[in-house]
Amino acid sequence: MKRFVELRLGTDANRVMSVIYLLKRVGLFFLVVWLGVTINFFLPRLAPGDPIQEYLGQLAQAGMFVGDPSAGFVEEYRAKFGLDKPLWQQYVNYWIDVSQLNFGLSVVDYPVEVTRVIRVALPWTLGLLSIATMIGFFIGTLLGALMVAVPGPWKRLLDWSIPIVMIVHSIPYFLLGIMLIAMFAVTWAWFPVGSGYTLGESPEFSLHGLFTLAKHAFLPALSLVAVAAGGWAIVMRSMMVIVQGEDYVQMSRAMGLKSWRVFYSYQVRNALLPQITFLALSLGFVVSGSALVEVVFSYPGIGSTLIDAITVKDLPLLQLILLVVIIVVTLFLVLLDVIYPLLDPRIRHETE
Amino acid sequence: MVEQIGTEIPPISLTSRFSRLLSGNLLLLLGLLLITAVVSFTVLGYLFVDLELARLNAAPLAQPPSFEHWFGTDAVGRSILALLVIGTPKTLLIGLLAGVCGITIGTCLGFFAGYVRGWADTFIRIISDVLFVIPILFLLVFIIEYFPVGAVWIMGIVIGLLSWMGTARTVRAQVLTLRERAFINMARASGAGTWRIISLELMPNLTSYLAASFVQAVSGGILFSIGLEVLGLGPANSQTLGWSIWWANDYGAVLRGFWWWWGSPVVMIVIIFLGLFLTSLGLDRVANPRLRGTS
């Protein structure tokens, strides 16, 4: 490892270059986060429709008594959430609040802090999505690699899987989710229709609890895994085809290396590079990508919370979720830029 | 005028070029066939199906497919066939607009960034990074609120305006590698201007690649719009395929066993996606000859 680092940062000039690059990248990180948060701040506020009115409308729709809207209590609510001030002042206040890690109270779940709302929802999403993403990546990549490299009768079998993989991959995952519910939850009732756990109970840490969790997560996970694995397999397969024609693969074969060695060390490891990039990106999108699946399966995660926050314009909640999403995704982008040259020495950062 | 010496090469007609493109490219052929089937379905539907049946209570409630209503009817008394005939072109239009906008913007910015470099490159990179990290899908809701209810084309254009980043990135990378090639230097040395080099030297090298990413952009746009509509967040009641699924979901069609109600639009969407996907794979094969060896 040490030799590797020395190789990378050999001369002083190189070292200076890397430091400048890193500083630039960090600066860009903050710029992107700031711009993203600013857009997220202004877009919902400039759109027609008033969050308080919308919330009251929803209450009224649910059959609750909301009083006379003209009775000045709308104004009171608005003042409570700071929505009565001019836009620029709200913006300044927002950044002051963020710098103090004060994210405010949810409008819908008043008076629950939005950080609490998110803390409850986040584990569901992280658990379901990150596990499903990893499984999908592993299965798909393996399948794609084997499609190209496996010899003999097994190849025929894998060749037959290609059209199936393509068809499954072209189904949007939330529509696949609806199909899975119709088949396995309604017609055959092997799995629960929705939600993350038995209704009215909170998860307990026991064998039975884990089993219940897994049973509820299985269908949503399956819909994510099936579609994603197809995508990984198709990309991996074309990368393998390209790598297969490279001189170093021919060379390693001519040298008489064992076939699994050629397969793993020369083909897979080189074909894997772009896959790693996309894996990092899709892990970054775990939070925002989960919305549709969570809504279809009424899973209690951050995605369905986000959709709720949008439909009723719960600004504090919406802003915190988007802040988290933006920071996480930007972080993954930066990490990728920094780590990728270590994985693939052919790519060096040019100093411009 | 210089006299042409020797036999003149007959110009290749467009049709024979097209058939040459298709021969041996099963994926492209299948994909185009599926898309043609979908388009002819809507054309025939507009000619022969009574579209009045897409109104509320125009048909009996929640009937399974029968001779009279081929795809059944939904729980609010609409014929699913009529809904499909109306919804399919709308959904396709969204995708087409999103694809055209996205690819045009992405190509222009990508060329600009890759060819000019420097400040333009940095600037475009920052914009695309910002659009990339914000979950645009959700903020789209607030943009669409400005526009009249049911405006399908707005949705397509807005999606296109917000999804050019991938194209711009790859076009930029392609231009960066191409611009140092000998034939570009040759053109530059012979006094060709920037515009001429871009349109006559760089562009032809990227055509098949751009065609493939255009098809991908179309299906990406459709996926985006259907996602929003299934969540009930798109422009309300624009009668697209996504909205039919939303209606079905909202009325509990899945739980109540009305498989034809949610199933028909889902199958239609899957056929569209499969067609677009196969087409883009086929075009990819044209763009990247190294992929041609297998399958």
Side-chain angles (χ1 to χ4, degrees):
Chain A
M1 187 62 204
K2 196 173 167 238
R3 228 190 102 222
F4 182 63
V5 172
E6 274 168 9
L7 214 66
R8 287 276 310 135
L9 307 172
T11 62
D12 277 346
N14 259 341
R15 199 169 298 145
V16 171
M17 227 166 76
S18 309
V19 169
I20 289 177
Y21 176 79
L22 217 63
L23 282 178
K24 254 182 157 177
R25 207 66 195 80
V26 170
L28 216 57
F29 168 80
F30 283 110
L31 185 63
V32 168
V33 168
W34 172 71
L35 281 172
V37 171
T38 304
I39 294 176
N40 284 337
F41 180 86
F42 283 108
L43 212 53
R45 274 163 220 264
L46 293 175
D50 178 276
I52 303 300
Q53 295 283 11
E54 231 144 284
Y55 173 54
L56 293 179
Q58 220 199 21
L59 282 188
Q61 225 175 21
M64 284 185 188
F65 176 70
V66 287
D68 180 9
S70 62
F73 102 153
V74 172
E75 270 65 41
E76 200 178 309
Y77 252 104
R78 203 168 284 150
K80 196 168 252 160
F81 288 98
L83 294 169
D84 53 341
K85 302 197 177 62
L87 211 54
W88 64 267
Q89 206 174 343
Q90 288 183 37
Y91 183 63
V92 174
N93 286 346
Y94 173 65
W95 276 113
I96 293 174
D97 285 346
V98 168
S99 66
Q100 293 167 347
L101 294 182
N102 172 19
F103 298 103
L105 307 175
S106 164
V107 177
V108 181
D109 275 340
Y110 191 78
V112 180
E113 276 182 50
V114 282
T115 41
R116 222 188 105 79
V117 176
I118 288 186
R119 237 194 338 250
V120 172
L122 203 56
W124 292 101
T125 298
L126 288 185
L128 174 66
L129 265 284
S130 48
I131 291 176
T133 309
M134 295 305 286
I135 294 177
F137 172 78
F138 188 73
I139 294 179
T141 308
L142 194 68
L143 194 66
L146 291 178
M147 271 178 190
V148 176
V150 163
W154 288 99
K155 180 153 175 51
R156 289 191 68 81
L157 191 73
L158 282 170
D159 277 348
W160 274 105
S161 72
I162 293 173
I164 299 170
V165 165
M166 281 180 180
I167 292 174
V168 172
H169 178 63
S170 23
I171 306 175
Y173 57 92
F174 49 95
L175 297 187
L176 186 67
I178 294 179
M179 293 183 200
L180 290 177
I181 293 179
M183 279 191 290
F184 297 112
V186 177
T187 313
W188 292 317
W190 292 347
F191 292 96
V193 173
S195 93
Y197 204 74
T198 316
L199 284 178
E201 286 177 31
S202 56
E204 51 180 274
F205 193 76
S206 65
L207 209 60
H208 175 73
L210 284 178
F211 179 71
T212 318
L213 275 179
K215 208 168 72 177
H216 282 80
F218 185 78
L219 286 184
L222 182 62
S223 70
L224 290 165
V225 167
V227 174
W232 296 118
I234 290 162
V235 178
M236 185 64 181
R237 182 172 165 276
S238 17
M239 278 313 292
M240 288 289 283
V241 170
I242 290 174
V243 168
Q244 205 173 28
E246 296 282 354
D247 292 339
Y248 55 80
V249 173
Q250 310 289 347
M251 178 68 187
S252 62
R253 244 188 228 124
M255 275 162 57
L257 290 182
K258 287 205 176 65
S259 61
W260 64 266
R261 182 91 200 267
V262 177
F263 172 66
Y264 179 70
S265 306
Y266 289 80
Q267 292 185 300
V268 171
R269 287 192 55 176
N270 280 296
L272 213 54
L273 284 168
Q275 298 279 89
I276 301 270
T277 318
F278 289 120
L279 178 66
L281 283 185
S282 48
L283 282 177
F285 282 109
V286 152
V287 168
S288 56
S290 63
L292 276 155
V293 159
E294 287 180 7
V295 170
V296 166
F297 286 94
S298 36
Y299 207 74
I302 204 100
S304 41
T305 312
L306 175 63
I307 301 300
D308 287 346
I310 286 174
T311 30
V312 296
K313 269 199 158 185
D314 189 341
L315 293 179
L317 186 56
L318 183 61
Q319 269 155 8
L320 182 56
I321 296 180
L322 293 180
L323 181 71
V324 172
V325 171
I326 290 174
I327 290 179
V328 170
V329 179
T330 321
L331 214 57
F332 269 99
L333 276 184
V334 175
L335 272 181
L336 207 63
D337 266 11
V338 176
I339 288 175
Y340 201 75
L342 296 179
L343 295 177
D344 187 353
R346 284 172 298 186
I347 292 178
R348 290 272 156 90
H349 298 304
E350 14 169 355
T351 42
E352 282 177 58
Chain B
M1 275 301 273
V2 181
E3 285 286 323
Q4 203 149 14
I5 306 166
T7 50
E8 206 172 303
I9 302 163
I12 306 168
S13 76
L14 208 65
T15 44
S16 80
R17 223 189 259 183
F18 191 63
S19 66
R20 203 177 292 177
L21 190 71
L22 285 183
S23 69
N25 198 334
L26 189 67
L27 292 173
L28 188 58
L29 190 70
L30 262 176
L32 289 178
L33 264 179
L34 282 178
I35 295 171
T36 317
V38 170
V39 172
S40 18
F41 168 80
T42 38
V43 172
L44 290 177
Y46 263 93
L47 289 177
F48 297 114
V49 175
D50 180 12
L51 296 183
E52 285 296 301
L53 290 174
R55 287 163 177 255
L56 295 177
N57 290 322
L61 305 184
Q63 295 294 311
S66 61
F67 185 71
E68 204 175 341
H69 300 287
W70 292 358
F71 292 82
T73 62
D74 66 12
V76 286
R78 300 177 298 179
S79 151
I80 307 282
L81 177 62
L83 287 179
L84 287 184
V85 171
I86 293 176
T88 308
K90 289 192 171 181
T91 296
L92 288 179
L93 178 70
I94 293 178
L96 212 58
L97 284 172
V100 170
C101 288
I103 285 292
T104 314
I105 299 172
T107 312
C108 291
L109 291 182
F111 263 112
F112 196 60
Y115 204 82
V116 180
R117 298 200 282 191
W119 63 269
D121 196 9
T122 315
F123 185 66
I124 291 170
R125 169 85 192 264
I126 290 172
I127 300 180
S128 91
D129 271 8
V130 170
L131 288 181
F132 190 72
V133 300
I134 308 175
I136 288 294
L137 178 65
F138 305 111
L139 294 179
L140 208 79
V141 180
F142 299 112
I143 299 176
I144 284 169
E145 276 184 27
Y146 279 104
F147 296 100
V149 171
V152 168
W153 54 277
I154 297 280
M155 179 107 157
I157 291 176
V158 173
I159 290 176
L161 289 178
L162 297 175
S163 53
W164 47 266
M165 292 82 76
T167 318
R169 216 172 253 217
T170 26
V171 167
R172 173 185 170 276
Q174 292 285 328
V175 171
L176 280 181
T177 62
L178 280 175
R179 57 172 283 153
E180 302 304 334
R181 298 273 179 88
F183 67 96
I184 301 289
N185 286 329
M186 185 71 191
R188 208 175 286 136
S190 345
T194 305
W195 186 242
R196 199 188 149 81
I197 291 179
I198 287 181
S199 60
L200 289 180
E201 306 289 341
L202 286 176
M203 206 59 178
N205 281 295
L206 288 174
T207 331
S208 46
Y209 163 75
L210 284 177
S213 36
F214 169 69
V215 177
Q216 279 160 19
V218 170
S219 84
I222 295 179
L223 184 65
F224 238 58
S225 72
I226 289 178
L228 275 185
E229 287 157 0
V230 169
L231 292 172
L233 294 177
N237 269 328
S238 46
Q239 287 194 310
T240 55
L241 293 178
W243 276 108
S244 333
I245 296 173
W246 179 83
W247 275 88
N249 218 11
D250 204 44
Y251 275 75
V254 176
L255 301 184
R256 289 155 76 184
F258 300 156
W259 50 269
W260 60 92
W261 188 1
W262 59 266
S264 311
V266 167
V267 168
M268 183 57 100
I269 289 169
V270 170
I271 293 176
I272 294 175
F273 275 121
L274 191 60
L276 290 171
F277 182 62
L278 293 177
T279 309
S280 85
L281 279 186
L283 288 170
D284 221 17
R285 209 141 288 197
V286 178
N288 198 345
R290 283 201 281 185
L291 288 175
R292 255 176 248 169
T294 56
S295 172

